[in-house]
Amino acid sequence: MLALNRIETFYGETQALFGPSLQIGRGEVVCLLGPNGAGKTTTIRSILGLTPPRRGTIEFDGADITGQATHRIARLGIGWVPDDRRIFPSLTVARNLQIAVKKTAYRSWTTEEMFEIFSALEHLMGRECENLSGGEMQMVAISRALLGAPGLVLFDEPSQGLAPKIVQDVMRTVRRLKEEGIGVLIVEQNALAALEVSDRVYVMDRGKIVHEGDAAALLSDAALRQRLIGM
Ligand code: ATP
């Protein structure tokens, strides 16, 4: 579904990614962990074409998307749940969701299905987004990504600032996406909830992949976990 091949990404002259390679299969949940400044967000920005890699390639569903415009990449079926949610604050929830609807080669979702996944969402439709809580905002951000009919969804720090109950709701949604055959990349500093829901894990440090393996294996190996992610 997604393959990053030795990408090198820069901010001006400063290199942030030093050749990480990463793969995500159809219906596979992969998490990317690592400390502050490791390059996790830059990896997402590279995939989305927000900060395109200067070297290396990115393939999505067999097509080379390296250097393509962000709106084209989104139209191909890559959904994004950004860490700062990026919802239009002065628009209602309904309007934010309405403008997110797209058709792609992948499964389309309806607003009714979003209400089934997030039972509280229906009652929020008329609210302006600036008045939402963090958890409500996350529901809107995930629904917006799904209404764009993604084949792959990138979650940037999905549990940041959220209560444990809401983090569980987010992870339940990730499982649902997996059942639907959608690939998922979760970028997290807070590793345990992400590892529990993931098939595979990559750990990144200073712009490089320093560990790649089975998520369950890392979860059950306390010594390795402590060494790699400090928890
Ligand atoms: P965090 O969890 O803090 O978001 P991260 O793993 O996502 O960390 P990145 O944000 O991808 O890390 O940062 C990777 C490197 O790129 C860091 O050294 C960071 O200082 C640098 N960097 C990030 N954004 C910029 C920018 N806009 N301009 C210059 N350097 C940047």
Side-chain angles (χ1 to χ4, degrees):
M1 190 98 240
L2 184 80
L4 271 55
N5 307 304
R6 305 181 59 77
I7 62 167
E8 297 186 30
T9 304
F10 293 71
Y11 293 102
E13 288 314 301
T14 309
Q15 186 162 2
L17 297 185
F18 294 84
S21 295
L22 173 158
Q23 289 88 35
I24 304 174
R26 206 172 288 275
E28 189 179 36
V29 181
V30 169
C31 65
L32 177 61
L33 308 176
N36 250 317
K40 306 181 300 294
T41 297
T42 306
T43 301
I44 287 192
R45 293 183 59 87
S46 300
I47 297 168
L48 292 168
L50 292 164
T51 313
R54 214 175 273 180
R55 285 189 279 275
T57 58
I58 301 177
E59 284 168 48
F60 174 61
D61 216 357
D64 187 345
I65 60 164
T66 325
Q68 290 203 17
T70 301
H71 69 271
R72 285 212 53 194
I73 292 172
R75 289 222 162 260
L76 286 174
I78 299 187
W80 179 32
V81 182
D83 53 350
D84 56 3
R85 320 298 185 229
R86 299 200 186 201
I87 290 158
F88 294 108
S90 60
L91 301 183
T92 61
V93 170
R95 187 73 188 123
N96 266 283
L97 295 184
Q98 199 182 6
I99 57 186
V101 175
K102 288 197 291 287
K103 283 242 176 299
T104 68
Y106 306 98
R107 181 203 199 285
S108 294
W109 297 74
T110 63
T111 314
E112 285 66 36
E113 284 177 305
M114 296 304 110
F115 298 160
E116 284 162 25
I117 294 176
F118 300 113
S119 53
L121 187 67
E122 189 163 8
H123 312 287
L124 296 174
M125 291 296 270
R127 291 259 295 278
E128 282 182 1
C129 286
E130 60 200 352
N131 302 319
L132 301 181
S133 70
E136 291 167 344
M137 206 98 86
Q138 183 63 292
M139 269 187 249
V140 177
I142 295 174
S143 301
R144 183 184 53 181
L146 290 185
L147 290 169
L152 172 78
V153 181
L154 313 176
F155 286 86
D156 197 354
E157 301 274 354
S159 61
Q160 195 175 48
L162 298 183
K165 153 85 177 75
I166 299 171
V167 173
Q168 287 313 312
D169 286 349
V170 172
M171 296 309 163
R172 188 171 43 82
T173 314
V174 168
R175 286 197 185 92
R176 173 76 192 274
L177 298 189
K178 179 179 170 63
E179 282 165 19
E180 298 280 352
I182 296 172
V184 174
L185 179 66
I186 308 174
V187 159
E188 275 281 12
Q189 255 191 74
N190 176 352
L192 295 182
L195 275 175
E196 276 168 14
V197 83
S198 295
D199 299 304
R200 281 188 311 115
V201 53
Y202 292 87
V203 181
M204 196 171 216
D205 193 17
R206 282 168 274 182
K208 293 182 178 169
I209 302 288
V210 294
H211 172 84
E212 176 185 348
D214 196 46
L218 185 55
L219 207 50
S220 62
D221 187 338
L224 182 64
R225 222 172 56 222
Q226 188 61 36
R227 180 165 70 74
L228 286 171
I229 54 177
M231 58 173 58

